[in-house]
């Protein structure tokens, strides 16, 4: 039931989250996702029973919604179509690698039972939430929304990349049209940014 509560929140807010990301910018919205996701994940340590646990899981789903597709959308701002599949596959491959590397850490945190008067599972949720929040803060200050705003690129690099991405987007829009409603029935239209 707790897994279901998570996915109810996730599914309800997935599309609105990505619409908001497009409107307010990737830097702000991905940072918001990571910070609220980390905080709510840490609050799981204070669940006192099945109802509080399911409620926290529901809000965790709301907070996390849009992270993966948000990054996929973000990649469309930075990588020309020719390179995008490689970038997306690398990002997708990071998930099982993170799980494989994180599982022993989580297991060792469970062994800290009694530290600070908390159970091992509570410490695990709190200590694993801290890096997520810190990375979210880093994203807020250092992630660049689009190539046109990248002060760390040379002006000619910025112009070339921006022109390439804009040209590809215009070509796809002219060929297929783009719209929120259309993306529900035409999978090509939702990935053309």
């Amino acid at each position: 039931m707790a897994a279901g509560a998570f996915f109810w929140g996730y599914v309800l807010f997935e599309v609105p989250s990505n619409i908001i990301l497009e409107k307010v910018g990737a830097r702000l919205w991905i940072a918001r996702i990571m910070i609220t996701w980390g905080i709510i994940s840490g609050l799981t340590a204070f669940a006192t029973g099945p109802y509080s646990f399911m409620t926290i899981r529901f809000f965790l789903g709301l907070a996390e919604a849009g992270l993966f597709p948000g990054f996929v959308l973000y990649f469309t701002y930075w990588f020309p179509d020719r390179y995008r599949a490689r970038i997306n596959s690398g990002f997708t491959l990071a998930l099982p690698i993170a799980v494989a590397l994180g599982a022993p850490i989580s297991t060792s945190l469970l062994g800290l039972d009694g530290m600070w008067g908390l159970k091992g599972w509570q410490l695990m949720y709190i200590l694993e939430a801290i890096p997520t929040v810190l990375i979210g803060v880093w994203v807020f200050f250092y992630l660049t929304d689009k190539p046109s705003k990248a002060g760390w690129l040379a002006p000619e690099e910025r112009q070339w990349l921006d022109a390439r991405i804009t040209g590809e987007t215009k070509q796809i829009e002219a060929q297929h049209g783009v719209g929120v409603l259309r993306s529900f029935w035409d999978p090509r239209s939702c990935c053309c940014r």
Side-chain angles (χ1 to χ4, degrees):
M1 287 185 69
F6 172 85
F7 286 108
W8 273 105
Y10 194 93
V11 167
L12 286 172
F13 202 57
E14 180 105 25
V15 172
S17 180
N18 282 288
I19 292 170
I20 294 169
L21 182 139
E22 174 68 24
K23 300 293 181 201
V24 303
R27 179 185 62 83
L28 177 64
W29 199 247
I30 291 172
R32 192 282 313 155
I33 289 172
M34 294 186 74
I35 292 167
T36 57
W37 171 26
I39 290 169
I40 295 169
S41 180
L43 289 175
T44 307
F46 304 103
T48 57
Y51 296 112
S52 62
F53 184 67
M54 283 190 292
T55 302
I56 290 169
R57 294 293 297 175
F58 175 78
F59 283 110
L60 185 63
L62 283 177
E64 190 179 335
L67 182 68
F68 184 83
F71 270 111
V72 171
L73 177 63
Y74 181 69
F75 295 152
T76 66
Y77 300 153
W78 281 92
F79 298 99
D81 190 44
R82 179 177 177 194
Y83 305 101
R84 209 168 295 139
R86 200 172 324 148
I87 297 303
N88 284 329
S89 64
F91 182 68
T92 304
L93 185 61
L95 178 61
I97 292 171
V99 170
L101 295 175
I105 296 169
S106 296
T107 302
S108 64
L109 292 175
L110 287 171
L112 298 176
D113 205 43
M115 185 177 188
W116 301 323
L118 298 169
K119 295 180 174 139
W121 66 269
Q122 291 174 306
L123 283 166
M124 182 189 69
Y125 277 113
I126 292 168
L127 294 176
E128 289 184 352
I130 292 169
T132 306
V133 172
L134 293 176
I135 293 170
V137 171
W138 181 89
V139 163
F140 179 75
F141 287 106
Y142 295 104
L143 193 71
T144 305
D145 282 321
K146 294 188 179 185
S148 61
K149 297 179 181 179
W152 47 271
L153 284 174
E156 57 274 1
E157 293 172 322
R158 215 173 19 245
Q159 290 169 351
W160 175 84
L161 187 55
D162 197 39
R164 174 103 183 246
I165 300 293
T166 302
E168 287 179 0
T169 301
K170 286 181 181 176
Q171 182 181 4
I172 292 169
E173 287 174 354
Q175 205 170 21
H176 302 289
V178 175
V180 174
L181 291 177
R182 183 182 176 104
S183 64
F184 283 103
W185 72 79
D186 184 358
R188 292 173 297 172
S189 69
C190 64
C191 302
C192 63
R193 295 281 319 139

